[in-house]
Amino acid sequence: MKTFLISLLIMTCLTGELTEPEEVLLEVVPEKLEIGDVGLVKVKVTEDIESLRGEVFGKEIHFFLEGDGYFGLIGAGLYTEPKEYFLDLEFLERSGKIRRFREKILVVEKFFETERLYLPKEMVTLSKRNLKRVREENGILNKIWETETKERLWKGNFILPVEGEFGSRFGLRRIINGKRRSPHTGVDIKAKEGSSVLASNSGRVIFIDNLFFSGNSIILDHGFGLYTMYFHLSDILVKEGDIVSKGEVIGRVGQTGRASGPHLHFGVRLQGKRVDPLSLLSLSLTEF
């Protein structure tokens, strides 16, 4: 945990007049974000604060008020450059005064293993028809990542959707038939075909379809731009628009799409960024 006792510069909205700085407690967990990490930002405030806005990585932090503090999730996506970034906060007081603060956030490099595979050509090189299908499917998914439900639908810690042995991890570099391919963007969990797949947290079923690569697929919207994905399912037990609870059975493990055996591909997107599902699961979110 990284804790700052920060002095915030206060500026009135109308005159720009500066007043004495005040102190506010800021916590960032973890202290350093590795590539793929989901982080938790907590800002403890006084009763005179009307609202809080924040931004990091060029994205707004969706804060929610709980007790005497504001909380928000941030993500260093798979393609985030390792370097120092600025976390900007803006406090609006009930009196109309504005406080602004900037703190550095460090993103560090992470080592990802490399996997070399040799597969039949037809499993690697797409036909024109399949390539067209994949591009259309990616277009549909990209529109989902661009939307953000303006409320928090999740509550408490996220859970593993199925018990099993971990296969390919997040960020795994793949070289197939001697050519570098896209890194793995989720975590594969090997499990017996037909095993129950649980909702990792409460949310809304935003997408169901059979996709070329991921087969029978479910995407849950947890609010504030946070989505979880469940791929290669044998059966889907929910429908679009359903509100599901954490731990609810939403599907069954399968090997649909491009899969070499029964497993669940579990993925997470946060404000469009590909982040490590196990990083999200490791955060302690029990207090809200």
Side-chain angles (χ1 to χ4, degrees):
M1 178 184 297
K2 190 173 186 179
T3 303
F4 306 95
L5 189 59
I6 58 180
S7 295
L8 299 177
L9 186 62
I10 305 174
M11 179 181 295
T12 62
C13 295
L14 298 178
T15 66
E17 176 187 355
L18 300 181
T19 61
E20 291 298 317
E22 296 185 9
E23 292 180 333
V24 174
L25 187 67
L26 167 67
E27 297 177 358
V28 181
V29 182
E31 180 178 347
K32 296 179 181 178
L33 294 177
E34 293 185 328
I35 300 298
D37 273 356
V38 179
L40 176 65
V41 178
K42 176 181 178 181
V43 184
K44 188 175 182 180
V45 298
T46 56
E47 293 182 356
D48 63 338
I49 299 298
E50 178 73 23
S51 64
L52 170 64
R53 295 185 68 255
E55 183 177 305
V56 71
F57 306 133
K59 294 284 188 177
E60 179 184 356
I61 302 172
H62 293 296
F63 283 110
F64 57 92
L65 182 62
E66 191 79 23
D68 62 351
Y70 283 89
F71 298 82
L73 296 178
I74 61 175
L78 181 60
Y79 299 110
T80 301
E81 182 182 355
K83 64 177 185 179
E84 284 187 337
Y85 293 85
F86 287 112
L87 186 155
D88 291 300
L89 300 176
E90 181 178 286
F91 300 81
L92 174 62
E93 286 190 348
R94 301 187 190 281
S95 65
K97 294 179 180 178
I98 293 177
R99 308 183 192 184
R100 291 189 178 92
F101 169 72
R102 167 172 280 190
E103 179 55 54
K104 291 180 180 179
I105 295 291
L106 181 61
V107 176
V108 298
E109 187 62 85
K110 182 175 182 178
F111 171 76
F112 295 108
E113 294 183 349
T114 297
E115 179 182 51
R116 287 176 169 80
L117 300 174
Y118 293 91
L119 301 174
K121 183 178 180 180
E122 60 271 17
M123 293 184 64
V124 180
T125 304
L126 300 184
S127 66
K128 290 184 178 179
R129 179 181 179 182
N130 286 337
L131 182 59
K132 181 176 182 291
R133 176 185 171 184
V134 168
R135 287 174 175 170
E136 290 174 350
E137 291 173 350
N138 286 340
I140 294 171
L141 295 178
N142 287 336
K143 289 182 180 179
I144 294 176
W145 315 139
E146 293 170 1
T147 62
E148 295 185 356
T149 300
K150 302 302 182 182
E151 61 177 324
R152 177 171 63 99
L153 303 177
W154 57 271
K155 185 175 182 179
N157 291 346
F158 282 72
I159 63 173
L160 201 63
V162 66
E163 293 294 334
E165 178 187 351
F166 289 128
S168 298
R169 299 288 188 117
F170 176 85
L172 178 72
R173 272 43 178 172
R174 283 175 166 167
I175 298 176
I176 302 178
N177 296 354
K179 294 184 178 181
R180 188 173 297 277
R181 300 288 174 168
S182 299
H184 196 237
T185 58
V187 59
D188 289 344
I189 307 171
K190 300 177 182 178
K192 184 178 179 181
E193 185 151 6
S195 299
S196 296
V197 175
L198 313 179
S200 184
N201 211 314
S202 54
R204 180 182 292 107
V205 181
I206 194 70
F207 177 86
I208 289 174
D209 206 348
N210 182 281
L211 303 178
F212 180 81
F213 283 119
S214 54
N216 291 331
S217 306
I218 298 174
I219 299 177
L220 299 185
D221 177 7
H222 302 284
F224 290 158
L226 179 61
Y227 298 91
T228 54
M229 294 160 276
Y230 311 79
F231 292 164
H232 305 302
L233 303 170
S234 62
D235 296 290
I236 293 175
L237 305 179
V238 290
K239 61 183 185 298
E240 287 187 17
D242 283 353
I243 303 297
V244 298
S245 302
K246 177 167 57 178
E248 182 176 337
V249 178
I250 59 174
R252 306 287 183 191
V253 171
Q255 49 184 324
T256 56
R258 183 168 291 186
S260 58
H263 73 281
L264 175 72
H265 174 101
F266 179 45
V268 176
R269 288 266 191 157
L270 178 57
Q271 296 186 298
K273 295 184 177 69
R274 299 171 175 88
V275 292
D276 188 349
L278 299 185
S279 173
L280 177 62
L281 267 60
S282 69
L283 284 179
S284 179
L285 307 173
T286 54
E287 57 189 304
F288 40 81

